[in-house]
PDB file of all heavy atoms in Angstrom:
ATOM      1  N   GLY I 385      20.762  -7.369  -2.445  1.00 93.00           N
ATOM      2  CA  GLY I 385      21.924  -7.025  -3.260  1.00 93.00           C
ATOM      3  C   GLY I 385      23.213  -7.539  -2.669  1.00 93.00           C
ATOM      4  O   GLY I 385      24.086  -8.057  -3.387  1.00 93.00           O
ATOM      5  N   TRP I 386      23.340  -7.417  -1.336  1.00 95.00           N
ATOM      6  CA  TRP I 386      24.563  -7.898  -0.678  1.00 95.00           C
ATOM      7  C   TRP I 386      24.693  -9.414  -0.788  1.00 95.00           C
ATOM      8  O   TRP I 386      25.754  -9.932  -1.136  1.00 95.00           O
ATOM      9  CB  TRP I 386      24.539  -7.477   0.795  1.00 95.00           C
ATOM     10  CG  TRP I 386      25.741  -7.970   1.551  1.00 95.00           C
ATOM     11  CD1 TRP I 386      27.018  -7.490   1.480  1.00 95.00           C
ATOM     12  CD2 TRP I 386      25.768  -9.067   2.478  1.00 95.00           C
ATOM     13  NE1 TRP I 386      27.839  -8.215   2.306  1.00 95.00           N
ATOM     14  CE2 TRP I 386      27.099  -9.193   2.929  1.00 95.00           C
ATOM     15  CE3 TRP I 386      24.806  -9.952   2.961  1.00 95.00           C
ATOM     16  CZ2 TRP I 386      27.488 -10.157   3.856  1.00 95.00           C
ATOM     17  CZ3 TRP I 386      25.182 -10.913   3.884  1.00 95.00           C
ATOM     18  CH2 TRP I 386      26.508 -11.018   4.313  1.00 95.00           C
ATOM     19  N   ILE I 387      23.602 -10.136  -0.514  1.00 95.00           N
ATOM     20  CA  ILE I 387      23.645 -11.597  -0.596  1.00 95.00           C
ATOM     21  C   ILE I 387      23.918 -12.052  -2.026  1.00 95.00           C
ATOM     22  O   ILE I 387      24.716 -12.966  -2.264  1.00 95.00           O
ATOM     23  CB  ILE I 387      22.324 -12.213  -0.073  1.00 95.00           C
ATOM     24  CG1 ILE I 387      22.176 -11.949   1.423  1.00 95.00           C
ATOM     25  CG2 ILE I 387      22.265 -13.716  -0.355  1.00 95.00           C
ATOM     26  CD1 ILE I 387      20.845 -12.372   2.001  1.00 95.00           C
ATOM     27  N   PHE I 388      23.276 -11.388  -2.994  1.00 94.00           N
ATOM     28  CA  PHE I 388      23.482 -11.741  -4.404  1.00 94.00           C
ATOM     29  C   PHE I 388      24.944 -11.542  -4.807  1.00 94.00           C
ATOM     30  O   PHE I 388      25.535 -12.366  -5.514  1.00 94.00           O
ATOM     31  CB  PHE I 388      22.573 -10.896  -5.285  1.00 94.00           C
ATOM     32  CG  PHE I 388      22.614 -11.253  -6.742  1.00 94.00           C
ATOM     33  CD1 PHE I 388      22.045 -12.428  -7.200  1.00 94.00           C
ATOM     34  CD2 PHE I 388      23.217 -10.411  -7.665  1.00 94.00           C
ATOM     35  CE1 PHE I 388      22.082 -12.769  -8.553  1.00 94.00           C
ATOM     36  CE2 PHE I 388      23.259 -10.733  -9.010  1.00 94.00           C
ATOM     37  CZ  PHE I 388      22.693 -11.910  -9.461  1.00 94.00           C
ATOM     38  N   GLY I 389      25.545 -10.445  -4.340  1.00 91.00           N
ATOM     39  CA  GLY I 389      26.939 -10.175  -4.672  1.00 91.00           C
ATOM     40  C   GLY I 389      27.896 -11.154  -4.038  1.00 91.00           C
ATOM     41  O   GLY I 389      28.916 -11.528  -4.632  1.00 91.00           O
ATOM     42  N   VAL I 390      27.564 -11.635  -2.830  1.00 92.00           N
ATOM     43  CA  VAL I 390      28.457 -12.538  -2.102  1.00 92.00           C
ATOM     44  C   VAL I 390      28.276 -13.992  -2.517  1.00 92.00           C
ATOM     45  O   VAL I 390      29.257 -14.726  -2.719  1.00 92.00           O
ATOM     46  CB  VAL I 390      28.238 -12.395  -0.576  1.00 92.00           C
ATOM     47  CG1 VAL I 390      28.996 -13.471   0.196  1.00 92.00           C
ATOM     48  CG2 VAL I 390      28.660 -11.016  -0.113  1.00 92.00           C
ATOM     49  N   ALA I 391      26.992 -14.407  -2.659  1.00 92.00           N
ATOM     50  CA  ALA I 391      26.743 -15.847  -2.830  1.00 92.00           C
ATOM     51  C   ALA I 391      25.844 -16.212  -3.998  1.00 92.00           C
ATOM     52  O   ALA I 391      25.608 -17.400  -4.246  1.00 92.00           O
ATOM     53  CB  ALA I 391      26.139 -16.405  -1.538  1.00 92.00           C
ATOM     54  N   GLY I 392      25.285 -15.243  -4.737  1.00 91.00           N
ATOM     55  CA  GLY I 392      24.493 -15.552  -5.922  1.00 91.00           C
ATOM     56  C   GLY I 392      22.999 -15.629  -5.667  1.00 91.00           C
ATOM     57  O   GLY I 392      22.516 -15.482  -4.541  1.00 91.00           O
ATOM     58  N   ALA I 393      22.270 -15.884  -6.748  1.00 92.00           N
ATOM     59  CA  ALA I 393      20.809 -15.846  -6.721  1.00 92.00           C
ATOM     60  C   ALA I 393      20.202 -16.899  -5.805  1.00 92.00           C
ATOM     61  O   ALA I 393      19.231 -16.638  -5.093  1.00 92.00           O
ATOM     62  CB  ALA I 393      20.258 -16.002  -8.136  1.00 92.00           C
ATOM     63  N   GLU I 394      20.761 -18.109  -5.810  1.00 94.00           N
ATOM     64  CA  GLU I 394      20.199 -19.180  -4.987  1.00 94.00           C
ATOM     65  C   GLU I 394      20.222 -18.808  -3.512  1.00 94.00           C
ATOM     66  O   GLU I 394      19.281 -19.101  -2.762  1.00 94.00           O
ATOM     67  CB  GLU I 394      20.952 -20.483  -5.225  1.00 94.00           C
ATOM     68  CG  GLU I 394      20.703 -21.095  -6.606  1.00 94.00           C
ATOM     69  CD  GLU I 394      21.424 -22.418  -6.795  1.00 94.00           C
ATOM     70  OE1 GLU I 394      22.034 -22.902  -5.824  1.00 94.00           O
ATOM     71  OE2 GLU I 394      21.371 -22.959  -7.913  1.00 94.00           O
ATOM     72  N   ALA I 395      21.289 -18.141  -3.084  1.00 96.00           N
ATOM     73  CA  ALA I 395      21.393 -17.728  -1.682  1.00 96.00           C
ATOM     74  C   ALA I 395      20.317 -16.693  -1.336  1.00 96.00           C
ATOM     75  O   ALA I 395      19.810 -16.668  -0.208  1.00 96.00           O
ATOM     76  CB  ALA I 395      22.778 -17.165  -1.407  1.00 96.00           C
ATOM     77  N   VAL I 396      19.978 -15.829  -2.301  1.00 96.00           N
ATOM     78  CA  VAL I 396      18.907 -14.853  -2.081  1.00 96.00           C
ATOM     79  C   VAL I 396      17.588 -15.569  -1.811  1.00 96.00           C
ATOM     80  O   VAL I 396      16.859 -15.235  -0.870  1.00 96.00           O
ATOM     81  CB  VAL I 396      18.762 -13.904  -3.295  1.00 96.00           C
ATOM     82  CG1 VAL I 396      17.540 -12.990  -3.119  1.00 96.00           C
ATOM     83  CG2 VAL I 396      20.017 -13.064  -3.485  1.00 96.00           C
ATOM     84  N   PHE I 397      17.287 -16.567  -2.614  1.00 96.00           N
ATOM     85  CA  PHE I 397      16.029 -17.304  -2.439  1.00 96.00           C
ATOM     86  C   PHE I 397      16.036 -18.110  -1.139  1.00 96.00           C
ATOM     87  O   PHE I 397      14.990 -18.238  -0.485  1.00 96.00           O
ATOM     88  CB  PHE I 397      15.793 -18.226  -3.632  1.00 96.00           C
ATOM     89  CG  PHE I 397      15.602 -17.500  -4.939  1.00 96.00           C
ATOM     90  CD1 PHE I 397      16.309 -17.880  -6.074  1.00 96.00           C
ATOM     91  CD2 PHE I 397      14.729 -16.436  -5.033  1.00 96.00           C
ATOM     92  CE1 PHE I 397      16.148 -17.218  -7.280  1.00 96.00           C
ATOM     93  CE2 PHE I 397      14.555 -15.753  -6.239  1.00 96.00           C
ATOM     94  CZ  PHE I 397      15.271 -16.143  -7.355  1.00 96.00           C
ATOM     95  N   ILE I 398      17.192 -18.652  -0.751  1.00 96.00           N
ATOM     96  CA  ILE I 398      17.281 -19.382   0.520  1.00 96.00           C
ATOM     97  C   ILE I 398      17.011 -18.429   1.683  1.00 96.00           C
ATOM     98  O   ILE I 398      16.259 -18.748   2.612  1.00 96.00           O
ATOM     99  CB  ILE I 398      18.676 -20.039   0.677  1.00 96.00           C
ATOM    100  CG1 ILE I 398      18.844 -21.192  -0.319  1.00 96.00           C
ATOM    101  CG2 ILE I 398      18.871 -20.553   2.103  1.00 96.00           C
ATOM    102  CD1 ILE I 398      20.247 -21.760  -0.376  1.00 96.00           C
ATOM    103  N   ASN I 399      17.625 -17.244   1.632  1.00 96.00           N
ATOM    104  CA  ASN I 399      17.394 -16.249   2.672  1.00 96.00           C
ATOM    105  C   ASN I 399      15.914 -15.858   2.729  1.00 96.00           C
ATOM    106  O   ASN I 399      15.340 -15.721   3.819  1.00 96.00           O
ATOM    107  CB  ASN I 399      18.248 -15.012   2.390  1.00 96.00           C
ATOM    108  CG  ASN I 399      18.037 -13.912   3.412  1.00 96.00           C
ATOM    109  OD1 ASN I 399      18.451 -14.035   4.563  1.00 96.00           O
ATOM    110  ND2 ASN I 399      17.402 -12.828   2.997  1.00 96.00           N
ATOM    111  N   ASN I 400      15.303 -15.705   1.565  1.00 97.00           N
ATOM    112  CA  ASN I 400      13.876 -15.364   1.523  1.00 97.00           C
ATOM    113  C   ASN I 400      13.019 -16.470   2.118  1.00 97.00           C
ATOM    114  O   ASN I 400      12.010 -16.201   2.797  1.00 97.00           O
ATOM    115  CB  ASN I 400      13.445 -15.087   0.081  1.00 97.00           C
ATOM    116  CG  ASN I 400      13.928 -13.747  -0.424  1.00 97.00           C
ATOM    117  OD1 ASN I 400      14.508 -12.971   0.318  1.00 97.00           O
ATOM    118  ND2 ASN I 400      13.699 -13.466  -1.697  1.00 97.00           N
ATOM    119  N   ALA I 401      13.389 -17.717   1.850  1.00 97.00           N
ATOM    120  CA  ALA I 401      12.639 -18.849   2.408  1.00 97.00           C
ATOM    121  C   ALA I 401      12.732 -18.855   3.933  1.00 97.00           C
ATOM    122  O   ALA I 401      11.739 -19.143   4.629  1.00 97.00           O
ATOM    123  CB  ALA I 401      13.176 -20.167   1.843  1.00 97.00           C
ATOM    124  N   ILE I 402      13.904 -18.502   4.472  1.00 97.00           N
ATOM    125  CA  ILE I 402      14.077 -18.437   5.930  1.00 97.00           C
ATOM    126  C   ILE I 402      13.206 -17.328   6.519  1.00 97.00           C
ATOM    127  O   ILE I 402      12.556 -17.505   7.553  1.00 97.00           O
ATOM    128  CB  ILE I 402      15.566 -18.216   6.277  1.00 97.00           C
ATOM    129  CG1 ILE I 402      16.381 -19.452   5.882  1.00 97.00           C
ATOM    130  CG2 ILE I 402      15.738 -17.923   7.767  1.00 97.00           C
ATOM    131  CD1 ILE I 402      17.883 -19.260   5.963  1.00 97.00           C
ATOM    132  N   ILE I 403      13.181 -16.162   5.846  1.00 97.00           N
ATOM    133  CA  ILE I 403      12.335 -15.053   6.309  1.00 97.00           C
ATOM    134  C   ILE I 403      10.865 -15.456   6.270  1.00 97.00           C
ATOM    135  O   ILE I 403      10.100 -15.183   7.204  1.00 97.00           O
ATOM    136  CB  ILE I 403      12.581 -13.800   5.442  1.00 97.00           C
ATOM    137  CG1 ILE I 403      13.983 -13.242   5.702  1.00 97.00           C
ATOM    138  CG2 ILE I 403      11.526 -12.725   5.730  1.00 97.00           C
ATOM    139  CD1 ILE I 403      14.395 -12.142   4.752  1.00 97.00           C
ATOM    140  N   ALA I 404      10.454 -16.123   5.181  1.00 97.00           N
ATOM    141  CA  ALA I 404       9.060 -16.580   5.070  1.00 97.00           C
ATOM    142  C   ALA I 404       8.733 -17.598   6.151  1.00 97.00           C
ATOM    143  O   ALA I 404       7.616 -17.597   6.693  1.00 97.00           O
ATOM    144  CB  ALA I 404       8.825 -17.171   3.685  1.00 97.00           C
ATOM    145  N   LEU I 405       9.703 -18.451   6.489  1.00 97.00           N
ATOM    146  CA  LEU I 405       9.484 -19.456   7.540  1.00 97.00           C
ATOM    147  C   LEU I 405       9.308 -18.786   8.900  1.00 97.00           C
ATOM    148  O   LEU I 405       8.433 -19.176   9.691  1.00 97.00           O
ATOM    149  CB  LEU I 405      10.663 -20.428   7.574  1.00 97.00           C
ATOM    150  CG  LEU I 405      10.504 -21.680   8.450  1.00 97.00           C
ATOM    151  CD1 LEU I 405       9.321 -22.524   7.977  1.00 97.00           C
ATOM    152  CD2 LEU I 405      11.785 -22.504   8.439  1.00 97.00           C
ATOM    153  N   LEU I 406      10.134 -17.763   9.166  1.00 97.00           N
ATOM    154  CA  LEU I 406       9.989 -17.008  10.412  1.00 97.00           C
ATOM    155  C   LEU I 406       8.623 -16.318  10.457  1.00 97.00           C
ATOM    156  O   LEU I 406       7.940 -16.334  11.494  1.00 97.00           O
ATOM    157  CB  LEU I 406      11.111 -15.968  10.512  1.00 97.00           C
ATOM    158  CG  LEU I 406      11.020 -14.967  11.674  1.00 97.00           C
ATOM    159  CD1 LEU I 406      11.099 -15.685  13.013  1.00 97.00           C
ATOM    160  CD2 LEU I 406      12.114 -13.910  11.563  1.00 97.00           C
ATOM    161  N   TRP I 407       8.230 -15.725   9.347  1.00 96.00           N
ATOM    162  CA  TRP I 407       6.919 -15.076   9.256  1.00 96.00           C
ATOM    163  C   TRP I 407       5.805 -16.090   9.489  1.00 96.00           C
ATOM    164  O   TRP I 407       4.814 -15.797  10.173  1.00 96.00           O
ATOM    165  CB  TRP I 407       6.789 -14.402   7.890  1.00 96.00           C
ATOM    166  CG  TRP I 407       5.554 -13.589   7.699  1.00 96.00           C
ATOM    167  CD1 TRP I 407       4.646 -13.204   8.637  1.00 96.00           C
ATOM    168  CD2 TRP I 407       5.074 -13.049   6.461  1.00 96.00           C
ATOM    169  NE1 TRP I 407       3.628 -12.470   8.075  1.00 96.00           N
ATOM    170  CE2 TRP I 407       3.870 -12.355   6.742  1.00 96.00           C
ATOM    171  CE3 TRP I 407       5.555 -13.072   5.148  1.00 96.00           C
ATOM    172  CZ2 TRP I 407       3.135 -11.713   5.747  1.00 96.00           C
ATOM    173  CZ3 TRP I 407       4.828 -12.427   4.162  1.00 96.00           C
ATOM    174  CH2 TRP I 407       3.636 -11.767   4.459  1.00 96.00           C
ATOM    175  N   PHE I 408       5.961 -17.288   8.938  1.00 97.00           N
ATOM    176  CA  PHE I 408       4.962 -18.344   9.117  1.00 97.00           C
ATOM    177  C   PHE I 408       4.802 -18.687  10.592  1.00 97.00           C
ATOM    178  O   PHE I 408       3.673 -18.823  11.101  1.00 97.00           O
ATOM    179  CB  PHE I 408       5.365 -19.588   8.327  1.00 97.00           C
ATOM    180  CG  PHE I 408       4.437 -20.762   8.511  1.00 97.00           C
ATOM    181  CD1 PHE I 408       3.215 -20.812   7.863  1.00 97.00           C
ATOM    182  CD2 PHE I 408       4.787 -21.806   9.357  1.00 97.00           C
ATOM    183  CE1 PHE I 408       2.352 -21.888   8.043  1.00 97.00           C
ATOM    184  CE2 PHE I 408       3.933 -22.884   9.543  1.00 97.00           C
ATOM    185  CZ  PHE I 408       2.715 -22.930   8.873  1.00 97.00           C
ATOM    186  N   ALA I 409       5.938 -18.802  11.308  1.00 96.00           N
ATOM    187  CA  ALA I 409       5.881 -19.138  12.735  1.00 96.00           C
ATOM    188  C   ALA I 409       5.126 -18.061  13.515  1.00 96.00           C
ATOM    189  O   ALA I 409       4.307 -18.371  14.395  1.00 96.00           O
ATOM    190  CB  ALA I 409       7.295 -19.305  13.290  1.00 96.00           C
ATOM    191  N   ILE I 410       5.375 -16.790  13.179  1.00 95.00           N
ATOM    192  CA  ILE I 410       4.692 -15.689  13.865  1.00 95.00           C
ATOM    193  C   ILE I 410       3.218 -15.633  13.470  1.00 95.00           C
ATOM    194  O   ILE I 410       2.340 -15.382  14.305  1.00 95.00           O
ATOM    195  CB  ILE I 410       5.396 -14.356  13.564  1.00 95.00           C
ATOM    196  CG1 ILE I 410       6.782 -14.337  14.223  1.00 95.00           C
ATOM    197  CG2 ILE I 410       4.559 -13.160  14.043  1.00 95.00           C
ATOM    198  CD1 ILE I 410       7.622 -13.142  13.889  1.00 95.00           C
TER     199      ILE I 410
END
Side-chain angles (χ1 to χ4, degrees):
W386 178 74
I387 294 173
F388 185 72
V390 171
E394 290 182 5
V396 174
F397 296 131
I398 290 172
N399 179 71
N400 285 355
I402 293 170
I403 291 171
L405 190 60
L406 173 63
W407 186 11
F408 177 77
I410 292 174

